[in-house]
Amino acid sequence: MQGILSVIKPENCNSTRAVSAVRRITGLATGHMGTLDPMASGVLPIAVGKATRLFPFLTEKQKVYEAELMFGEERDTLDATGQIVKTTETIPGKEALLSAIPKFIGDISQVPPAYSACFVNGKRGYALARKGVEFTLAAKTVHIEDISYLGQTEENKHRIRIVCGGGTYIRSLIRDIGYETGSLATMTALCRTQSGVFTLENGVKMEELTANNIAAAMIPPEKALSFPVITLNAKFTKRVIDGLPVNLPYGDGIYTVFGEDRILGVGEITQTKLKIKAYLREDE
């Protein structure tokens, strides 16, 4: 068994717990492709078996989130689980939020939350923050494709939809939107509705996964990959399996590579020479 599950993680459950649940059912190597905060719900792709080798090729895919923000305060975690560190009586309305949103579309500079998985001198940021250690994380460039307004839920709460690239922190985005409106903002709810080809529609709820239905819920590796496809004949398939070079008339780049009857893995062509970067053969 190998493939990727579009697991729908519930709120108040960390990503490691979801991965462990899949590992207990399958008895195979498992791993998630892009963590979700414990308070967040939604799509958590979990690879099973040799599909875990696809991590480098899937983690930067487009992601879609629906988030709720609350104006009037900032918390140390930048979400509703943390301690209040700042407050303001300035509560922007819908028009101020709509005016601020376009300024965060495109390539933007973003400082990750202190409570994050970012490393600081070999330690996770959240581990240091919980111990009260003061530190500053470097800003990084992330890409926001689109932000749309979904509606107002309370006097100081609004919902937005974000389409972004990998590595984007929605908590930081909401913090910065608060600053842009002349206020403070905290994330109060988050749902990831899409991560690459994995969506709520092709997902399965974590609590509904069983040994009887997990195979049917598995998305084959080739369905998760969007690279151009190369299909090798029997001779070239054997050479690749034996670790020998194969010359092909294709341009440089990453490809999904098939043998005559099944996927072999992900390969890279450099100056017409093919090299497999991630083997997926079940008998390899």
Side-chain angles (χ1 to χ4, degrees):
M1 183 188 297
Q2 66 173 343
I4 305 169
L5 294 163
S6 180
V7 175
I8 302 174
K9 186 185 81 66
E11 295 178 2
N12 303 315
C13 168
N14 65 40
S15 299
T16 301
R17 178 182 166 194
V19 170
S20 297
V22 173
R23 185 181 299 118
R24 283 195 300 272
I25 294 172
T26 63
L28 298 172
T30 56
H32 63 71
M33 297 184 178
T35 188
L36 265 179
D37 291 339
M39 72 165 284
S41 64
V43 175
L44 179 69
I46 297 180
V48 177
K50 291 183 174 62
T52 55
R53 300 175 181 182
L54 296 177
F55 285 158
F57 306 100
L58 293 173
T59 54
E60 296 302 315
K61 299 298 183 182
Q62 187 180 79
K63 299 177 183 181
V64 182
Y65 297 88
E66 292 184 5
E68 181 184 70
L69 63 88
M70 178 177 66
F71 285 120
E73 64 182 44
E74 182 175 313
R75 302 194 178 209
D76 53 3
T77 59
L78 304 186
D79 63 29
T81 68
Q83 300 296 315
I84 298 173
V85 292
K86 298 178 187 176
T87 61
T88 178
E89 295 183 359
T90 302
I91 307 298
K94 173 183 174 181
E95 294 306 318
L97 177 56
L98 290 176
S99 178
I101 280 174
K103 299 176 183 179
F104 294 92
I105 296 175
D107 291 333
I108 65 169
S109 179
Q110 181 182 83
V111 177
Y115 284 83
S116 68
C118 294
F119 281 103
V120 180
N121 297 324
K123 302 289 185 180
R124 295 287 189 182
Y126 60 76
L128 296 175
R130 287 169 183 162
K131 293 179 179 179
V133 177
E134 294 187 5
F135 60 92
T136 301
L137 292 170
K140 65 174 186 174
T141 299
V142 298
H143 182 74
I144 308 291
E145 183 68 26
D146 184 59
I147 305 174
S148 53
Y149 183 75
L150 298 180
Q152 188 166 356
T153 55
E154 295 181 26
E155 182 179 357
N156 63 337
K157 291 184 178 181
H158 303 260
R159 293 178 62 246
I160 58 176
R161 178 178 182 268
I162 305 103
V163 182
C164 60
T168 303
Y169 281 96
I170 306 302
R171 287 176 289 153
S172 292
L173 173 65
I174 287 174
R175 172 200 61 200
D176 296 341
I177 288 175
Y179 293 161
E180 183 63 32
T181 63
S183 181
L184 300 170
T186 289
M187 186 181 79
T188 50
L190 182 68
C191 178
R192 183 159 65 196
T193 62
Q194 179 181 342
S195 179
V197 302
F198 309 102
T199 65
L200 293 175
E201 289 70 29
N202 63 21
V204 57
K205 292 182 179 179
M206 174 182 148
E207 59 270 25
E208 294 179 356
L209 273 175
T210 68
N212 293 325
N213 66 17
I214 196 167
M218 201 85 67
I219 297 171
E222 56 267 32
K223 298 293 185 182
L225 298 167
S226 57
F227 306 118
V229 173
I230 293 175
T231 301
L232 303 178
N233 59 29
K235 176 183 175 181
F236 280 176
T237 296
K238 186 176 186 309
R239 288 184 65 87
V240 166
I241 292 173
D242 291 341
L244 298 174
V246 172
N247 290 310
L248 298 171
Y250 293 92
D252 290 0
I254 303 295
Y255 295 84
T256 301
V257 183
F258 282 81
E260 292 183 296
D261 60 350
R262 57 183 152 173
I263 188 170
L264 295 177
V266 175
E268 181 176 18
I269 290 182
T270 305
Q271 296 181 347
T272 74
K273 292 185 178 181
L274 172 67
K275 179 179 181 181
I276 301 297
K277 307 291 286 186
Y279 275 103
L280 296 177
R281 289 177 57 247
E282 293 182 1
D283 57 348
E284 180 262 331

